């Protein structure tokens, strides 16, 4: 069966790798790239949907009929100049809304880029925000999978990026595996 896959945050490091992998996957019939700014990609499976992430109707319509949503959207403290509200608007609000719209449109899988070490009790803003995000997503979607990686990625850490993307794809096609077990294993290393 051909699948419609949506990626929220397709222009970042992880999102770009997902696009490369999924556009060539024979199980994917349509790859929707849900982005904030126009993006030029010429591939027969790829459909770029440039939306305003605060517009519920367009965001929900972009996700509708997806079999899976990969949420790799994010920003950096540098880009938001330390403004925690601006950071939260991207790293928390957009993924929560994506998960909510996935649930409302009967999407069965939601794959979230997160962070090892996320903890709601952490004094670190980033780590506590990531755990709050995970918790909300788990309450919205029955099958939430996490991107299990380092605290952040630099372009020269490609091997780790590829390994984690492969884990995500593996969970997507073999949902009987428990992401919680993999998460515990990854955190111990």
């Amino acid at each position: 069966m051909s699948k419609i896959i949506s990626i929220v945050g397709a222009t970042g490091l992880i999102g770009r790798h997902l696009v490369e992998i999924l556009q060539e996957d024979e199980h994917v019939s349509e790859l929707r790239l849900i982005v904030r700014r126009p993006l030029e990609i010429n591939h027969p499976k790829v459909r770029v949907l440039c939306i305003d992430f605060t517009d519920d109707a367009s965001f929900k319509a972009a996700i509708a009929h997806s079999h899976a949503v990969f949420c790799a959207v994010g920003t950096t403290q540098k880009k938001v100049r330390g403004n925690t509200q601006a950071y939260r608007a991207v790293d928390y609000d957009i993924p929560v809304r994506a998960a909510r719209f996935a649930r409302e449109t009967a999407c069965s899988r939601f794959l979230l880029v997160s962070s090892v070490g996320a903890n709601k009790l952490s004094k670190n803003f980033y780590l506590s925000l990531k755990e709050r995000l995970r918790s909300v997503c788990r309450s919205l979607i029955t099958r939430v999978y996490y991107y299990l990686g380092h605290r952040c990625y630099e372009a020269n850490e490609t091997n780790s990026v590829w390994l984690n993307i492969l884990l995500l794809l593996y969970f997507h096609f073999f949902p009987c595996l428990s992401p919680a077990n993999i998460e515990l294993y990854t955190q111990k290393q």
Side-chain angles (χ1 to χ4, degrees):
M1 179 170 115
S2 293
K3 298 186 182 299
I4 298 171
I5 307 296
S6 294
I7 302 175
V8 179
T11 59
L13 178 65
I14 297 162
R16 286 191 317 263
H17 286 295
L18 283 169
V19 171
E20 288 175 16
I21 292 170
L22 293 173
Q23 71 185 3
E24 302 306 325
D25 189 306
E26 65 186 38
H27 298 99
V28 177
S29 60
E30 180 180 334
L31 183 59
R32 296 179 187 168
L33 310 183
I34 304 171
V35 297
R36 296 176 266 205
R37 291 179 294 283
L39 179 64
E40 290 295 322
I41 293 186
N42 187 17
H43 192 280
K45 288 184 187 179
V46 174
R47 187 168 150 217
V48 177
L49 303 171
C50 188
I51 67 164
D52 174 354
F53 283 104
T54 63
D55 178 356
D56 286 350
S58 65
F59 199 173
K60 186 174 179 177
I63 287 176
H65 308 292
S66 295
H67 293 93
V69 173
F70 286 78
C71 189
V73 71
T75 190
T76 64
Q77 287 292 345
K78 183 178 179 181
K79 286 183 183 178
V80 297
R81 297 186 175 133
N83 181 328
T84 56
Q85 292 303 320
Y87 192 91
R88 180 187 164 94
V90 175
D91 273 49
Y92 180 86
D93 295 345
I94 292 173
V96 166
R97 294 172 70 242
R100 188 178 87 219
F101 297 140
R103 182 194 67 202
E104 291 174 4
T105 60
C107 175
S108 62
R109 289 177 179 79
F110 186 77
L111 298 101
L112 176 67
V113 172
S114 189
S115 173
V116 169
N119 181 332
K120 67 182 177 183
L121 301 176
S122 175
K123 293 182 187 207
N124 178 290
F125 171 76
Y126 174 81
L127 295 176
S128 64
L129 183 71
K130 287 297 184 180
E131 180 52 38
R132 287 194 307 269
L133 174 59
R134 288 181 185 186
S135 178
V136 169
C137 289
R138 280 191 303 262
S139 74
L140 293 170
I141 302 283
T142 55
R143 287 188 172 158
V144 177
Y145 304 102
Y146 302 113
Y147 171 86
L148 308 170
H150 300 290
R151 61 213 173 282
C152 64
Y153 280 100
E154 295 178 3
N156 64 353
E157 295 177 318
T158 304
N159 291 339
S160 295
V161 171
W162 282 104
L163 174 62
N164 285 287
I165 289 171
L166 291 172
L167 280 173
L168 281 178
L169 292 171
Y170 192 75
F171 291 145
H172 172 71
F173 291 108
F174 301 100
C176 59
L177 296 176
S178 170
N181 292 338
I182 300 298
E183 183 173 1
L184 290 172
Y185 173 77
T186 303
Q187 287 180 343
K188 288 179 185 177
Q189 291 189 3

